[in-house]
Each structure stands twice: as structure tokens, then as C-alpha cells.
């Protein structure tokens, strides 16, 4: 503990032991995926992992927090460090994951209003010290920070032994102005989007916004169809169970944008809200019954954007992958990083080459024109893709 500080570190073994209101106040403007609802969902879905939640408080006020997960093998392959970085971790090792095991968006939670730059650094240092103490005890001294932001990488620079590696691009649409018309003007794709809208109108479908709890079995069936379409062997029953657990864990806060044909549900987009952002979480469709009506873009983009403008939300988070379609409908891309503390899991030169290749891959998807030149909004990505970059 640094001298001359009143900050206190505590570790909790369950979400239910936390002051959930204080935690969620920190998480709301960082990420839905760092809130206690999503953390509780991860606890329930993977009881074999050991969850621990680190808090830093000052004078009884929560000022910093991080979740950690000790696991022999994450259920989600995109968090399986041994598979992602086989030269750095053996298959039979316990891994300490910081941030999450699902959702692809981790953040260091800090009370930006209460912390001066100096105390911000102290709070982060206390979090890192506690994480590394856990790692020393349970995970060969190594902690893995997956899917963190540019801001977080800057905070962790003092402890990094090498350059972080970008994992994916994270897509979101910032909603400027006050109406859907303002959104159209900002995208530069008015004709394409209005063509999508007309195609949907011709189908005769309606869009309804409903609680997830009203559509659990229907949504589970449709989600399984989408997962099967993209190569995942899942059943309607298993997807309904996932959605049911998620709905209970998140306190019935999930909202479904439903594509309805009379009384029949042909598709849905599940979304959550936190801070000023709508988070698109999952989609499902009965593809054999669709009528080529731009159903995906209507439910996943346009209906949530319209609701955002009506309710004062300012952002639609779209997650990773399918970059080109998202860029063409107004999204910007920021990197999600991987960093290991307590080890040097890869040479900096290899990380630079990897980061440069990822940046080139995504940049190649950008349409021509000045409107799209700044859609990859990360100075840090360019820095960590530069061959002239020195060791941190």
C-alpha cells in the first residue's frame, strides 16, 4: 500500500457480496459487460471457475474495481489463452483472466470524478498489485487482460513487459444530432439505408420492442437457427437455457426488437442499455420464412437507433466482426487488446507485425472518401503497429 493514502483494497468471492449499486455506477459509462448483471451471468454459466472481485475504496466510496476469473479452460474459445497463445501457456495450466470470460469488452473501472491523475495511478497500482498477488498464488505469476481498451492499455503501461496484441476491432455508432434524419446525414449512406427501409416496409412486418422475458422460448429457437447457420451445433433448448439464465442474472433488463408477421415472430435482436449506450447482444431469425426485407439491419441497427433518439441514448454498440457492414452504416472501430502481466508472452517485434496486419486488414474494408478516413479511431493502434516502436 502506498504511503499517505487512505485507499482500501477488498476482495469478494461473489457478485452477491458486492455493493452492486456502487459497482454499477462505475460500470455504467464504461461497459454493460462490466456491470454486475453480466458478471452474475458469467458466475452462473461457469460455476467451475473461481470468480473474485477486487474493489478499491476511499473514505467508504468505491473508486476502482476489477473482476477476475481463475479457470482451467474457459468455455468460450475466444478466451482460451492456451489456444490463442500456445507458446505462452500450456493446456493444463490454470489461467487468471481479468475483466471477463464472455462479452468481448473489458474495462478497468475507475471513478473519474473523484480521482486526480495521481490518485488514479495509485488506484490502478493497487488493482494490479492485488491481481498479481492472485496470479502468484494460483496462476504461475501471470494474469491475462483480454479485450481491454486503448485507455486501459495506457493505464497498464508501467507494468507491461512487451507490446500488447490487438485481438479484434470493436464497433459502435455514435449518434449525433436529435433524430434518425441526423443519423442518415452523418453516415453518408442515405440511399442504401432508405432502400433497406423500403424493403422492410414492403414485407408488411412490424417491429415490436418487448422484454426478453416474454419471448424466451421463441428467442431460443430463433437464436439456435442463427447459430446453426454459422456452424455452431446448438439446440433450441440449450439456447433457451442460456437466455433464461442471462435474463435472470441481468434482472430482466434485456429488450427484444421483434420482427413480427401478425402473431408470428420471425426474428429478433436482443439488446441491453447501460449509461448512454444500447448494446446489441444477439440476433436470431427463421431464415426460411424471411422475405429479403433487410430484417437484420432493421432489427439490429435502425430500430435501436430510432429508440435511442427517442430516449436520449447516444450510442449503439455493435461488437466485433462483420466490420464492413457496420462501417457502411456509421460505425467506427476501436481495438480490443490482449496483455499479460508477470511475463513476456511474445516478442515486441511479433506483436508489432500482428498489430500492423490487423490494422491493414480492417483499413482495407474502409470505403474511399474523406468521410471514412477516421473510422479507425485509435492513435494507440497506429503506435503499436509501427516498426520503429521501442520496447515499453
Amino acid at each position: 500500500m502506498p504511503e499517505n493514502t487512505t485507499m482500501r483494497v477488498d476482495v469478494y468471492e461473489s457478485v452477491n457480496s458486492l455493493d452492486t449499486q456502487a459497482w454499477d455506477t462505475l460500470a455504467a459509462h464504461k461497459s454493460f459487460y462490466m456491470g454486475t448483471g453480466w458478471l452474475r451471468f458469467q458466475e452462473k454459466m461457469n460455476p467451475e471457475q473461481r470468480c473474485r472481485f477486487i474493489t478499491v475504496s476511499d473514505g467508504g466510496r468505491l473508486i476502482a474495481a476489477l473482476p477476475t476469473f481463475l479457470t482451467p479452460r474457459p468455455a468460450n474459445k475466444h478466451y482460451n489463452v492456451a489456444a490463442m497463445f500456445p507458446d505462452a501457456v500450456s493446456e493444463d495450466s490454470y489461467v487468471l483472466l481479468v475483466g471477463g470470460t464472455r462479452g468481448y469488452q473489458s474495462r478497468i473501472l475507475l471513478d473519474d470524478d473523484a480521482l486526480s491523475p495521481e490518485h488514479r495511478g495509485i488506484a490502478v497500482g493497487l488493482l494490479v498489485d492485488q491481481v498479481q498477488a492472485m496470479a502468484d498464488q494460483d496462476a504461475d505469476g501471470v494474469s491475462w487482460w483480454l479485450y481491454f481498451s486503448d485507455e486501459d492499455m495506457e493505464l497498464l503501461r508501467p507494468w507491461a513487459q512487451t507490446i500488447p496484441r490487438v485481438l479484434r476491432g470493436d464497433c459502435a455508432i455514435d449518434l449525433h444530432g436529435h433524430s434518425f434524419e441526423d443519423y442518415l446525414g452523418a453516415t453518408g449512406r442515405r440511399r442504401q439505408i432508405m432502400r433497406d427501409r423500403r424493403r422492410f416496409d414492403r414485407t408488411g412486418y412490424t417491429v415490436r420492442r418487448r422484454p426478453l422475458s416474454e419471448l424466451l422460448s421463441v428467442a431460443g429457437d430463433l437464436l439456435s437457427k442463427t447459430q446453426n447457420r454459422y456452424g455452431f451445433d446448438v439446440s433450441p433448448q440449450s439456447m433457451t437455457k442460456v437466455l433464461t439464465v442471462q435474463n435472470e442474472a441481468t434482472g430482466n433488463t434485456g429488450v427484444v426488437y421483434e420482427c413480427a408477421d401478425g402473431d408470428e415472430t420471425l426474428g429478433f435482436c436482443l439488446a441491453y442499455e447501460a449509461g448512454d449506450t444500447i448494446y446489441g447482444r444477439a440476433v436470431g431469425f427463421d431464415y426460411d420464412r424471411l422475405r429479403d426485407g433487410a430484417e437484420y439491419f432493421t432489427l439490429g441497427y435502425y430500430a435501436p437507433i430510432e429508440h435511442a433518439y427517442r430516449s436520449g441514448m447516444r450510442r449503439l454498440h455493435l461488437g466485433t466482426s462483420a466490420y464492413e457492414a457496420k462501417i457502411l452504416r456509421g460505425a467506427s472501430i476501436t481495438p480490443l487488446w490482449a496483455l499479460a502481466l508477470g511475463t513476456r508472452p511474445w516478442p515486441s517485434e511479433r506483436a508489432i507485425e500482428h498489430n500492423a496486419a490487423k490494422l491493414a486488414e480492417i483499413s482495407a474494408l474502409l470505403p474511399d472518401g474523406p468521410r471514412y478516413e477516421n473510422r479507425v479511431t485509435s492513435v494507440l493502434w497506429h503506435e503499436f503497429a509501427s516498426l520503429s516502436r521501442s520496447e515499453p
Side-chain angles (χ1 to χ4, degrees), residues 49-274:
Q49 64 191 6
R50 184 181 181 187
C51 307
R52 285 172 289 184
F53 306 93
I54 306 169
T55 65
V56 179
S57 56
D58 192 357
R61 175 172 176 164
L62 182 65
I63 57 172
L66 269 178
T68 68
F69 302 84
L70 182 69
T71 175
R73 184 172 300 171
N76 185 330
K77 67 179 182 179
H78 299 296
Y79 285 85
N80 188 334
V81 175
M84 296 163 69
F85 310 111
D87 295 338
V89 183
S90 61
E91 281 285 349
D92 57 351
S93 297
Y94 269 78
V95 174
L96 183 64
L97 297 175
V98 185
T101 59
R102 297 168 180 261
Y104 311 114
Q105 195 179 67
S106 300
R107 295 291 184 270
I108 298 173
L109 301 183
L110 297 168
D111 187 338
D112 294 324
D113 293 332
L115 290 169
S116 67
E118 178 185 1
H119 286 92
R120 183 184 175 93
I122 293 172
V124 173
L126 291 172
L127 291 173
V128 171
D129 288 347
Q130 183 61 53
V131 168
Q132 291 310 110
M134 294 175 178
D136 288 340
Q137 181 177 344
D138 301 317
D140 297 323
V142 180
S143 61
W144 288 89
W145 305 61
L146 303 184
Y147 303 100
F148 279 83
S149 70
D150 282 0
E151 179 186 7
D152 299 313
M153 289 301 101
E154 292 286 11
L155 290 170
L156 294 172
R157 271 191 198 251
W159 296 273
Q161 297 181 34
T162 188
I163 290 173
R165 286 175 51 135
V166 68
L167 295 174
R168 296 184 175 194
D170 195 34
C171 302
I173 300 173
D174 290 315
L175 299 174
H176 303 289
H178 305 284
S179 68
F180 195 85
E181 184 67 23
D182 293 321
Y183 160 70
L184 289 175
T187 64
R189 307 292 293 188
R190 176 187 295 271
R191 291 178 64 184
Q192 174 64 59
I193 294 170
M194 293 309 297
R195 187 158 50 244
D196 289 345
R197 306 276 277 176
R198 289 191 294 271
R199 283 168 56 197
F200 187 84
D201 289 343
R202 285 195 292 268
T203 65
Y205 299 147
T206 56
V207 176
R208 296 193 287 238
R209 185 175 179 273
R210 301 173 62 183
L212 171 61
S213 58
E214 295 181 1
L215 289 168
L216 285 169
S217 61
V218 172
D221 179 62
L222 294 172
L223 180 57
S224 72
K225 294 181 188 298
T226 293
Q227 295 293 300
N228 294 162
R229 183 183 179 93
Y230 290 98
F232 299 98
D233 185 16
V234 298
S235 67
Q237 293 79 14
S238 67
M239 292 297 94
T240 299
K241 179 181 177 180
V242 168
L243 293 177
T244 299
V245 173
Q246 191 175 122
N247 183 64
E248 292 172 353
T250 57
N252 192 25
T253 56
V255 172
V256 167
Y257 295 88
E258 175 196 21
C259 177
D261 186 14
D263 294 331
E264 298 292 319
T265 302
L266 302 187
F268 78 95
C269 171
L270 170 62
Y272 292 91
E273 298 177 5

Side-chain angles (χ1 to χ4, degrees), residues 366-380:
L366 298 176
D368 293 331
R371 187 184 297 272
Y372 302 101
E373 289 175 355
N374 296 320
R375 289 295 179 85
V376 180
T377 58
S378 171
V379 173
L380 204 63

Side-chain angles (χ1 to χ4, degrees), residues 29-33 104-105 107 168-176 183 186-187 274 276-280 296 300-301 304-305 308-309 313-336 362 366 371-372 374-377 381:
H29 294 286
K30 294 287 187 177
S31 174
F32 161 75
Y33 296 106
Y104 311 114
Q105 195 179 67
R107 295 291 184 270
R168 296 184 175 194
D170 195 34
C171 302
I173 300 173
D174 290 315
L175 299 174
H176 303 289
Y183 160 70
T187 64
D276 64 354
T277 302
I278 296 176
Y279 292 81
Y296 167 72
Y301 293 68
I305 287 172
Y309 278 117
M313 310 294 278
R314 305 307 302 168
R315 208 163 193 250
L316 175 63
H317 181 257
L318 298 168
T320 64
S321 73
Y323 301 118
E324 185 171 11
K326 294 171 182 177
I327 291 167
L328 290 175
R329 285 163 179 81
S332 295
I333 301 176
T334 54
L336 297 168
I362 289 181
L366 298 176
R371 187 184 297 272
Y372 302 101
N374 296 320
R375 289 295 179 85
V376 180
T377 58
W381 197 346

